Amino acid sequence: MSNMGLVKAGLLAAASTVALSLFAGNVHAQSSNLPAVTVDAPQRQQQARRARPQRNASRARSTRRRVAAPAPRQAVAPEGSGRVAVERGTGPVNGYLAHQSVSSTKTDTPILETPQSISVVTRDQMAAQGVQNVSQALEYVPGVTPESFGANSFFDAVKVRGFDAPRYLDGLRLPSDVTTFAAPRIETYGLERLEVLKGPSSGLYGASDPGGLINMISKRPQDTPHYSVEGTFGAYNNYQGAFDIGGPADKNHEFLYRLVGLVRQSDTEVNFVQDNKIFIAPSLTWRPNADTSFTFLSHYQNIDNKGYQQYVPGQVAFSGNPLGRISRSTYLGEPGADGFKLEQFAVGYAFEHRFDNNLQFRQNFRYTEATQDLHSIRPEGMIGDNLVLRSYDYVRAKTSNVTLDNQFQADFRSGPLTHKVLAGFDYTYMKADSEFRIDNPMPFGTFTPIDAFNPVYGAAIPSWDSLPSFIKRNDTQSQAGFYLQDQVKLDRWTLSLSGRQDVASTAFTSAGMYPSPGYYERHDSAQTGRVGLNYLFDNGVSPYISYSTSFTPNLGSDQFGNTFKPTTGEGGEIGVKYQPLGTNLMLTAAYFDTRQNNVVTADPTNPLFNTQTDAVRVRGFEFEAKGNITREFEIVAGYSHLDPRVTESVVPGNIGAVMKNTAREQASLWGKYTWYNGPLAGLGLGAGVRYVGDTFGDDANTINIPSYTLFDAAISYDFSYMRPDLKGLTAQVNARNLTDRYYVASCFTGLPYCALGQGRTVLGTLKYSWN
């Protein structure tokens, strides 16, 4: 029997056992193709409910056998508050280890009791490592490939377990580069945490590739006052200021507010290319009573940069060129003519109301809009060893996105069983207008060439009006889904079941050269789900097993005008989580087998079009350790081994090939030691190492991208240990790629489109916090 078959058989046996228990407890449930999911009740309004008795306490005591205690909730202190609160899945975390998550179950559930791999990057970890964007925040997460498009990209594109990962903000989907050029970028300073949910997740979220998804949690108003300002400066004339202030707006704490902002003016390691940004995120919470909460969430961001360079030809990036390698600082565009602008804003809310001890309702809503204007050079190949063929590109795009998610949660008992049932309905609608103009699109690369080792600028730049539209399309995409989830607890066992029915529609009008002019439309429906089982031992060990499915609607058509049917996937996972009693350390290990069918790939008879014939399979193992070894020493460690293979292909030679731009081996280790006593009290020293194994830059595996190892470091000091009147003042210096290692991060679709990794970057931050 195959590994996937063993997973299915084990889960069917577990489901049968629980079904008998349900029958014995006089609880009847309709069977369906889709499993239904479970959840732990979120702890709403902890501060407001302190005086209330524990729900169902008497019934819990009547259980004949002693039930293992749920995973402990960590006490956390909101930044600058100096006070302690109970950790929530959408709130702050003290240190690197999160104990709660909302991503896997859409409820506030202990990670230790969730039968799925979840990696959480906390605000404290992001601050300690000095991350500047989403890709950097994910560099120490096993199984994640963060630099899919290189360091200088207008996409936050990430692969999880070899598959493109959709991005969510506060549980609601963001527009992606698959549907539009105008994809919003999320500022990490505005995030409380960043969660990577691994494995197929369509059972709760709908359309999604089977590798996993990224859910980013915004900073929200807190019940305690906090004020923080900081300045960052360093490499490439980087000057950045940021602030984070908030707390109660009235003495009764009925209204809470928060205002987060950042301004950056910076050059980059590439000549003539900037990295400027303005970001502001106001939020407000209204709590009219202990059972109701309404939180307004919003942000505005404006990126306006001169210069843009995403790729360099592989012929001058890899070793072997007799003239050497291109310098990371070399600009292959036209200074003063190129630029990139991205303006975005989002407004939404999170509403929660508890009717009684057993029933609550949540509604999340957001409207997002983004506009992009890009004009730049793109390399298209080489002439000899030094001349780079170029094309001049214009991209103008706009997208708007509406997302709504309604959830009813019921917590109840039935005999020996404890249920947490979630019923939800969500809806997403996206509209995008995109136009891509390029000089002489057939063939590419007729713009004035440039010498990669001795560039001479000044070529005549074609105007927007003078160029033909290679891509000009108007897209609409909608998805409506109903999902049902139940988490059934029996003694130390937790059975998680979920099922979802989706209806998805995609349509677009093409008025450019690609795809062929015309109107394309497709309507699809899909049923997906997840079943998982875990057992929590008294010593903190929690083995689990799960099986889940996925689907992804596809935009576009083949060269004959046929639209693509959805890509489907399935995955099985066996793992164990372990949190030693009395510690703030969690270890996670997992083996998984993920498969995807109806994969869209380039048509070998016409590379300007795609066809739908391929299938892929990713098997692998992951390990992660996160938390405190001692009070002073915190670590983040990860390892992943993937076997990502093409199992079916229209190109016979690609069968058995490794999936492109997917590292088969990754390892990382970060640690920081902070002294709290003695002559070094207040000093913190951090160091990290990241290894990424070989990858391939094309489907045929003819472009080998060598492995690389990078080193990071940090030093910090809390001045309150020097003088009590300096409480709240801290300084920190972060260095990334400490040895200035030259490496190629990826090659997007072939040798002309390779992205260089970022060289050594040193930034210093001075911060002052008070309350």
Side-chain angles (χ1 to χ4, degrees):
M1 183 180 292
S2 67
N3 293 327
M4 188 73 73
L6 289 172
V7 172
K8 290 181 180 178
L11 287 170
L12 287 172
S16 300
T17 302
V18 173
L20 291 173
S21 300
L22 289 172
F23 178 77
N26 296 319
V27 177
H28 302 280
Q30 293 183 349
S31 62
S32 76
N33 297 336
L34 302 173
V37 176
T38 147
V39 176
D40 264 66
Q43 303 296 313
R44 281 297 307 135
Q45 305 296 346
Q46 290 292 335
Q47 295 291 331
R49 294 177 173 274
R50 282 191 293 249
R52 297 203 174 194
Q54 180 179 351
R55 293 183 174 85
N56 300 324
S58 61
R59 281 180 284 181
R61 286 193 294 269
S62 68
T63 304
R64 286 177 295 175
R65 294 183 63 190
R66 184 172 62 86
V67 178
R73 293 193 171 211
Q74 183 187 20
V76 301
E79 183 177 2
S81 69
R83 296 173 60 182
V84 173
V86 174
E87 180 187 326
R88 296 188 57 202
T90 58
V93 177
N94 183 19
Y96 296 172
L97 177 62
H99 296 77
Q100 301 288 126
S101 172
V102 298
S103 295
S104 178
T105 60
K106 290 194 175 182
T107 62
D108 206 344
T109 302
I111 293 176
L112 200 59
E113 298 178 7
T114 303
Q116 194 168 357
S117 292
I118 309 171
S119 295
V120 180
V121 182
T122 67
R123 161 68 15 213
D124 281 358
Q125 181 183 336
M126 287 187 273
Q129 294 176 340
V131 303
Q132 296 287 297
N133 53 54
V134 170
S135 293
Q136 291 181 4
L138 295 171
E139 288 173 338
Y140 283 86
V141 178
V144 173
T145 305
E147 288 190 296
S148 298
F149 288 95
N152 183 30
S153 170
F154 54 77
F155 295 141
D156 286 327
V158 174
K159 288 181 180 290
V160 176
R161 293 181 174 176
F163 299 94
D164 293 332
R167 300 173 306 137
Y168 288 74
L169 180 64
D170 299 314
L172 301 174
R173 184 154 185 164
L174 291 165
S176 70
D177 59 285
V178 175
T179 54
T180 176
F181 285 102
R185 299 197 70 179
I186 302 304
E187 170 54 48
T188 53
Y189 186 73
L191 299 179
E192 197 69 74
R193 54 168 75 188
L194 195 156
E195 304 189 353
V196 181
L197 179 61
K198 300 175 182 178
S201 302
S202 293
L204 281 180
Y205 290 93
S208 173
D209 278 349
L213 59 84
I214 310 297
N215 186 27
M216 296 165 281
I217 310 297
S218 300
K219 290 180 176 178
R220 302 187 181 202
Q222 300 296 315
D223 204 45
T224 52
H226 57 93
Y227 310 92
S228 175
V229 294
E230 62 183 71
T232 300
F233 57 93
Y236 316 118
N237 300 314
N238 184 304
Y239 298 96
Q240 176 177 298
F243 62 89
D244 181 358
I245 61 176
D250 65 312
K251 65 179 181 180
N252 296 323
H253 291 210
E254 180 178 345
F255 293 94
L256 310 175
Y257 77 96
R258 192 162 190 171
L259 185 62
V260 181
L262 178 145
V263 177
R264 179 166 66 236
Q265 179 176 312
S266 178
D267 297 325
T268 68
E269 64 181 352
V270 181
N271 295 335
F272 312 112
V273 178
Q274 297 177 328
D275 183 17
N276 302 329
K277 176 184 289 189
I278 297 175
F279 169 80
I280 188 77
S283 57
L284 178 69
T285 294
W286 176 38
R287 302 186 298 189
N289 55 57
D291 293 308
T292 307
S293 171
F294 181 91
T295 298
F296 169 79
L297 296 166
S298 67
H299 78 259
Y300 169 82
Q301 182 172 268
N302 191 341
I303 298 173
D304 189 351
N305 297 328
K306 293 181 180 179
Y308 182 81
Q309 180 164 292
Q310 185 171 345
Y311 304 120
V312 299
Q315 294 93 328
V316 294
F318 295 112
S319 58
N321 190 311
L323 300 178
R325 290 180 166 185
I326 188 173
S327 170
R328 279 191 295 249
S329 64
T330 299
Y331 188 57
L332 298 177
E334 291 294 327
D338 309 333
F340 170 66
K341 296 180 181 180
L342 177 65
E343 187 175 22
Q344 68 187 58
F345 74 90
V347 291
Y349 62 81
F351 172 74
E352 302 181 29
H353 178 71
R354 183 182 290 273
F355 296 96
D356 53 35
N357 288 353
N358 305 107
L359 183 64
Q360 57 184 295
F361 172 73
R362 295 185 291 271
Q363 184 180 78
N364 300 308
F365 169 83
R366 186 178 64 245
Y367 173 79
T368 306
E369 188 172 297
T371 304
Q372 180 192 284
D373 186 357
L374 170 68
H375 39 104
S376 71
I377 290 290
R378 188 176 73 173
E380 303 290 356
M382 297 286 298
I383 300 176
D385 295 324
N386 63 320
L387 286 182
V388 179
L389 295 171
R390 303 186 295 173
S391 63
Y392 201 84
D393 306 345
Y394 287 94
V395 177
R396 294 180 181 176
K398 181 177 181 179
T399 183
S400 56
N401 173 252
V402 174
T403 55
L404 176 70
D405 190 7
N406 301 284
Q407 305 167 9
F408 276 99
Q409 179 178 317
D411 303 275
F412 59 92
R413 294 178 64 90
S414 175
L417 306 177
T418 302
H419 295 267
K420 193 154 306 284
V421 176
L422 183 74
F425 173 80
D426 62 26
Y427 176 75
T428 300
Y429 178 81
M430 186 276 301
K431 183 178 185 301
D433 301 314
S434 303
E435 187 165 4
F436 172 34
R437 296 191 176 191
I438 186 171
D439 65 303
N440 295 320
M442 299 297 289
F444 295 134
T446 59
F447 189 71
T448 307
I450 195 169
D451 192 324
F453 301 99
N454 184 28
V456 177
Y457 306 110
I461 304 299
S463 66
W464 164 271
D465 294 331
S466 68
L467 298 182
S469 297
F470 181 63
I471 295 175
K472 184 178 182 180
R473 53 190 286 175
N474 308 108
D475 290 86
T476 60
Q477 187 177 60
S478 65
Q479 174 186 288
F482 172 77
Y483 54 90
L484 187 63
Q485 169 178 272
D486 188 15
Q487 183 167 307
V488 187
K489 289 192 175 183
L490 176 64
D491 196 31
R492 297 172 175 84
W493 294 96
T494 301
L495 176 65
S496 299
L497 302 166
S498 70
R500 180 178 172 116
Q501 174 68 54
D502 273 292
V503 177
S505 298
T506 59
F508 70 93
T509 300
S510 176
M513 301 175 61
Y514 171 79
S516 299
Y519 177 74
Y520 302 83
E521 184 177 20
R522 185 175 179 91
H523 304 278
D524 296 291
S525 63
Q527 298 173 337
T528 53
R530 180 186 68 177
V531 54
L533 182 70
N534 73 282
Y535 186 90
L536 180 59
F537 289 91
D538 286 338
N539 61 0
V541 173
S542 180
Y544 68 90
I545 183 172
S546 67
Y547 171 78
S548 52
T549 57
S550 71
F551 90 104
T552 306
N554 290 299
L555 291 172
S557 66
D558 61 20
Q559 61 175 312
F560 305 108
N562 301 312
T563 56
F564 299 124
K565 57 186 177 182
T567 297
T568 59
E570 62 176 343
E573 183 173 325
I574 300 174
V576 61
K577 302 176 185 181
Y578 176 45
Q579 183 178 350
L581 296 180
T583 72
N584 192 45
L585 177 70
M586 188 179 294
L587 311 178
T588 303
Y591 172 81
F592 53 89
D593 187 336
T594 307
R595 304 173 187 225
Q596 189 178 48
N597 299 309
N598 299 325
V599 178
V600 176
T601 187
D603 190 332
T605 65
N606 189 340
L608 290 179
F609 288 89
N610 290 327
T611 186
Q612 191 172 37
T613 58
D614 286 15
V616 296
R617 184 217 69 217
V618 180
R619 291 175 179 163
F621 170 81
E622 288 175 351
F623 171 79
E624 184 175 46
K626 180 170 286 192
N628 289 75
I629 301 299
T630 66
R631 178 195 176 205
E632 297 83 5
F633 189 35
E634 288 187 282
I635 67 162
V636 177
Y639 171 78
S640 65
H641 173 79
L642 305 181
D643 183 21
R645 299 286 175 175
V646 177
T647 56
E648 297 179 22
S649 178
V650 67
V651 181
N654 289 351
I655 297 176
V658 175
M659 295 164 58
K660 67 182 179 183
N661 291 321
T662 300
R664 288 165 289 175
E665 211 87 31
Q666 286 179 283
S668 61
L669 174 63
W670 166 271
K672 186 175 182 183
Y673 192 95
T674 303
W675 283 265
Y676 296 103
N677 300 290
L680 297 179
L683 179 66
L685 295 178
V689 57
R690 295 175 276 136
Y691 169 79
V692 178
D694 291 3
T695 59
F696 291 101
D698 64 335
D699 293 325
N701 291 178
T702 61
I703 303 173
N704 183 68
I705 304 173
S707 62
Y708 55 88
T709 301
L710 308 176
F711 297 91
D712 305 322
I715 182 171
S716 63
Y717 188 73
D718 184 343
F719 288 93
S720 65
Y721 287 87
M722 177 187 297
R723 285 171 41 186
D725 60 326
L726 294 179
K727 179 182 178 181
L729 181 64
T730 60
Q732 180 171 302
V733 177
N734 288 89
R736 299 174 50 79
N737 191 2
L738 194 61
T739 61
D740 201 29
R741 170 71 182 269
Y742 186 105
Y743 67 99
V744 177
S746 65
C747 292
F748 180 47
T749 56
L751 202 57
Y753 313 118
C754 296
L756 296 179
Q758 191 170 29
R760 179 170 51 235
T761 305
V762 180
L763 296 175
T765 300
L766 190 64
K767 177 179 178 180
Y768 182 61
S769 304
W770 72 100
N771 52 43

